[in-house]
Amino acid sequence: MQTKKGFTLAELMIVLAILGVIAAILTPLAFNATPDENKLKFKKAYYTLQRATDAVLNSDNYPEGDMSKVSDPAKTFCYTFSDMLNTMYDNCEGSNALVTNSGAAYIYDPSNSTTSLDTLDSYCSVGLVSDPLESGTNNLPKFITQDGIFWWGFDYDFDSVGTIVNNIRVDYNIVCVDVDGEGGEGAFAFGIRNDGKVIVGNKARAWLKEGINSTINTEEE
């Protein structure tokens, strides 16, 4: 007769200990490998902004390739931009203006080195946008895409190159992007020039440096 052999209690304890060590090593790696939803939406929004701005500039609305050469340029840009995306709400007729944070929201002006110390981010940090789909009342020009990203601001009209109004160069149109709507993540600030060049604020620049191979324009360039 053959004797059947099994694992001893000691052997089972050793196996369980080894599995525990492996689990302790792999669990943090698994969590780190899980993509952050806000970061994924931000990257999507950034590339959407780049592509859509190029498409807007080359649309029939701007035959001269200059986004300031239309009546009411900021509103026209807002509507043309939103029409190119899948939106579930848009109101580019909003009449409220963005308010700068402590007057420190320059877009970099090469002719004035002092502006390089300021940042676009403050321009979008104080204008919190309420959700119009939830009876929100904020009247900033805005639209919401199907992925829940808020696009708002659309302030200044791409004209008067080099002119400063409320500490903003008005040849840029300001666009704020909030990837989680009314969630806890603050908005990202972008400046779009009349020739389609996109300038990013410091917060967006920091996020873009995390694994994105792209040419990044900031207010310091």
Side-chain angles (χ1 to χ4, degrees):
M1 295 181 64
Q2 295 181 343
T3 302
K4 294 184 179 180
K5 294 183 178 181
F7 292 106
T8 66
L9 179 60
E11 289 172 332
L12 288 174
M13 294 297 290
I14 292 172
V15 171
L16 290 175
I18 293 172
L19 291 175
V21 171
I22 294 173
I25 294 172
L26 294 181
T27 299
L29 295 177
F31 278 111
N32 290 335
T34 303
D36 183 284
E37 183 179 359
N38 283 345
K39 289 187 177 182
L40 289 176
K41 291 172 74 173
F42 166 74
K43 293 174 184 179
K44 176 184 177 182
Y46 173 71
Y47 289 125
T48 297
L49 182 66
Q50 293 275 27
R51 291 193 299 269
T53 299
D54 289 339
V56 167
L57 184 63
N58 292 294
S59 70
D60 293 338
N61 288 335
Y62 304 102
E64 298 181 46
D66 183 340
M67 290 190 282
S68 69
K69 302 295 185 182
V70 294
S71 60
D72 207 342
K75 184 185 298 184
T76 300
F77 175 75
C78 181
Y79 272 124
T80 307
F81 191 102
S82 65
D83 285 347
M84 293 181 174
L85 306 179
N86 293 320
T87 61
M88 56 182 175
Y89 174 90
D90 64 71
N91 177 23
C92 293
E93 298 291 335
S95 59
N96 287 6
L98 293 169
V99 179
T100 58
N101 183 8
S102 303
Y106 287 97
I107 293 178
Y108 179 61
D109 182 351
S111 66
N112 185 347
S113 60
T114 61
T115 62
S116 64
L117 302 177
D118 297 305
T119 173
L120 264 176
D121 295 344
S122 60
Y123 200 66
C124 294
S125 65
V126 293
L128 301 178
V129 175
S130 54
D131 190 344
L133 302 178
E134 298 293 337
S135 301
T137 57
N138 190 293
N139 197 35
L140 283 167
K142 59 184 173 290
F143 57 84
I144 303 175
T145 46
Q146 293 287 347
D147 50 16
I149 298 176
F150 284 26
W151 305 76
W152 49 277
F154 302 98
D155 219 347
Y156 298 104
D157 286 336
F158 304 108
D159 58 3
S160 304
V161 175
T163 300
I164 304 293
V165 176
N166 293 332
N167 296 326
I168 293 294
R169 272 183 56 178
V170 296
D171 50 324
Y172 287 85
N173 186 279
I174 310 302
V175 177
C176 306
V177 179
D178 197 333
V179 297
D180 62 349
E182 290 187 283
E185 189 61 59
F188 297 87
F190 298 89
I192 301 174
R193 206 165 62 184
N194 60 344
D195 61 359
K197 180 179 181 180
V198 176
I199 307 294
V200 306
N202 284 336
K203 181 180 179 182
R205 177 178 59 179
W207 282 42
L208 285 169
K209 284 183 176 179
E210 297 184 12
I212 295 183
N213 295 318
S214 176
T215 302
I216 304 167
N217 297 313
T218 75
E219 65 271 35
E220 296 178 0
E221 296 178 340

